[in-house]
């Protein structure tokens, strides 16, 4: 079946869908994005991603291109036209197309909107989680506004590639004091030696992960103990368990960091349980 992309008001064959060469997303990475997991053709963590999108846009002073209701219709229609059951829908909004100049274009320049959707290989995702993945560390060389979900992802791209070249699935960024900030496209967690869940607080320069927030809700309802503060690479190596969260990977157990085995080198019971609970709740509440 051929894929379809939404580009500025039109549904187009994915292979032929294009934006202008002077789109500010292309020229300056002057745009934001969101990714929703799709379960049974419906949007998971709908409000969390919508709220963060609104915040990203307003922090960058990019006008909302359409109402939330209209945008939701486009997301759903793109899901439908691509016959996505379990997968992902990707939305990108840029400051639009204008003659190249660093300062903002004239008021009234319409933002560009693109939406794509794809099916996820769910059995492959489950197999990866059952086996656990390797993580490597990378220095966090990003800018000071990682709370905004911009398409300026070059440090993240370089970190993910470094991970791949070392046989790992994810890179965890480390700040100048040796503390883990987050993953290149995920939030980082450990179960520390006292059995407490640890993840960096969102006062730090990290993305406020929507999956992270959903997992925090599950922790509360399951009675897990949480200590919301950063951890060092050494603490991660000495942890009982490690894992990371994102809309595309849900909860993914990590079994080594920079080659050092975590715990017994297998996915731990906490990460495994949280993954099951997250998927169950996200599927149930998808709209
Ligand atoms: N941190 C970064 C840097 C990310 O790119 C992502 C995924 N977009 C996340 C964390 C996880 O966020 P979410 O759970 O909202 O997908």
């Amino acid at each position: 079946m051929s894929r379809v992309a939404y580009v500025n008001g039109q549904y187009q064959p994915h292979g032929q869908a294009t934006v202008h060469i002077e789109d500010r997303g292309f020229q300056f990475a002057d745009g934001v994005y969101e990714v929703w997991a799709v379960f049974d053709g419906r949007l998971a963590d709908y409000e969390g991603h919508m709220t963060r999108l609104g915040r990203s846009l307003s922090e960058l002073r990019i006008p909302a291109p359409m109402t939330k209701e209209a945008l939701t219709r486009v997301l759903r229609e793109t899901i439908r036209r691509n016959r996505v059951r379990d997968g992902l829908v990707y939305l990108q909004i840029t400051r639009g197309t204008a003659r190249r100049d660093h300062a903002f274009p004239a008021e009234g320049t319409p933002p560009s909107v693109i939406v794509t959707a794809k099916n996820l290989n769910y059995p492959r995702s489950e197999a990866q989680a059952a086996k656990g993945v390797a993580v490597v560390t990378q220095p966090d060389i990003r800018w000071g506004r990682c709370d905004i979900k911009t398409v300026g992802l070059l440090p993240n791209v370089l970190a993910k590639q470094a991970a791949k070249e070392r046989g790992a699935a994810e890179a965890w960024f480390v700040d100048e004091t040796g503390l883990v900030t987050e993953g290149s496209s995920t939030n980082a967690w450990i179960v520390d030696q006292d059995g407490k869940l640890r993840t960096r607080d969102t006062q730090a320069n990290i993305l406020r992960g929507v999956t992270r927030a959903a997992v925090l809700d599950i922790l509360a309802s399951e009675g897990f103990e949480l200590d919301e503060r950063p951890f060092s690479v050494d603490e991660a190596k000495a942890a009982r368990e490690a894992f990371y969260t994102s809309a595309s990977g849900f909860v993914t157990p990590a079994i080594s960091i920079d080659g050092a085995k975590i715990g017994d080198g297998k996915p731990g019971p906490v990460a495994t349980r949280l993954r099951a609970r997250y998927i169950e709740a996200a599927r149930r509440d998808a709209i």
Side-chain angles (χ1 to χ4, degrees):
M1 196 217 48
S2 55
R3 290 182 70 196
V4 173
Y6 172 90
V7 185
N8 293 328
Q10 288 184 317
Y11 294 93
Q12 302 178 1
H14 187 272
Q16 278 128 52
T18 53
V19 293
H20 194 274
I21 57 165
E22 288 197 304
D23 189 283
R24 292 180 64 94
F26 179 62
Q27 293 284 352
F28 299 114
D30 188 1
V32 304
Y33 73 106
E34 276 299 332
V35 179
W36 282 260
V38 176
F39 288 112
D40 305 316
R42 294 175 295 135
L43 294 155
D45 292 324
Y46 168 79
E47 284 294 347
H49 289 284
M50 270 297 174
T51 303
R52 186 172 64 189
L53 172 69
R55 182 175 177 278
S56 295
L57 289 171
S58 83
E59 289 295 307
L60 297 182
R61 295 197 278 148
I62 298 174
M66 58 182 95
T67 64
K68 180 178 162 185
E69 291 68 33
L71 192 54
T72 305
R73 275 198 295 278
V74 172
L75 296 176
R76 292 203 169 118
E77 183 62 11
T78 308
I79 290 167
R80 192 188 69 77
R81 289 191 189 223
N82 287 281
R83 299 203 185 123
V84 174
R85 295 302 303 161
D86 288 343
L88 296 171
V89 60
Y90 174 89
L91 163 70
Q92 180 169 326
I93 300 174
T94 78
R95 206 182 302 277
T97 294
R99 202 171 86 155
R100 191 180 184 280
D101 187 3
H102 285 59
F104 292 178
E107 221 165 292
T109 302
S112 302
V113 182
I114 70 154
V115 181
T116 57
K118 65 179 181 188
N119 276 298
L120 179 79
N121 188 332
Y122 201 75
R124 193 197 289 160
S125 170
E126 284 297 302
Q128 187 193 45
K131 200 160 153 254
V133 300
V135 165
V136 297
T137 58
Q138 288 286 299
D140 197 338
I141 58 167
R142 298 175 302 162
W143 74 325
R145 292 304 309 270
C146 296
D147 58 309
I148 306 173
K149 198 165 168 62
T150 83
V151 294
L153 291 172
L154 193 47
N156 311 60
V157 166
L158 296 175
K160 190 79 91 185
Q161 180 63 19
K164 188 176 169 188
E165 288 172 7
R166 288 160 64 185
E170 177 59 308
W172 280 5
F173 286 126
V174 180
D175 70 15
E176 63 290 344
T177 69
L179 297 171
V180 173
T181 53
E182 63 183 323
S184 71
S185 62
T186 59
N187 287 109
W189 300 69
I190 59 170
V191 181
D192 71 14
Q193 287 177 314
D194 302 327
K196 286 189 186 151
L197 273 289
R198 295 266 293 274
T199 192
R200 194 157 194 161
D201 56 277
T202 50
Q203 300 312 306
N205 184 31
I206 62 168
L207 189 76
R208 296 167 193 182
V210 173
T211 318
R212 176 190 181 283
V215 168
L216 287 178
D217 286 347
I218 294 169
L219 294 187
S221 69
E222 296 268 302
F224 283 108
E225 250 194 292
L226 170 71
D227 191 359
E228 201 175 350
R229 66 185 169 93
F231 53 84
S232 67
V233 177
D234 284 341
E235 284 177 302
K237 285 178 180 167
R240 289 187 193 171
E241 297 184 34
F243 62 93
Y244 54 77
T245 54
S246 72
S248 56
F250 320 131
V251 174
T252 303
I255 53 171
S256 69
I257 297 183
D258 291 336
K261 199 157 87 170
I262 299 164
D264 61 1
K266 295 198 193 87
V270 175
T272 304
R273 175 142 151 233
L274 288 175
R275 179 180 172 91
R277 292 298 325 276
Y278 171 75
I279 293 173
E280 187 185 294
R283 190 182 286 284
R284 181 194 63 213
D285 299 338
I287 58 166

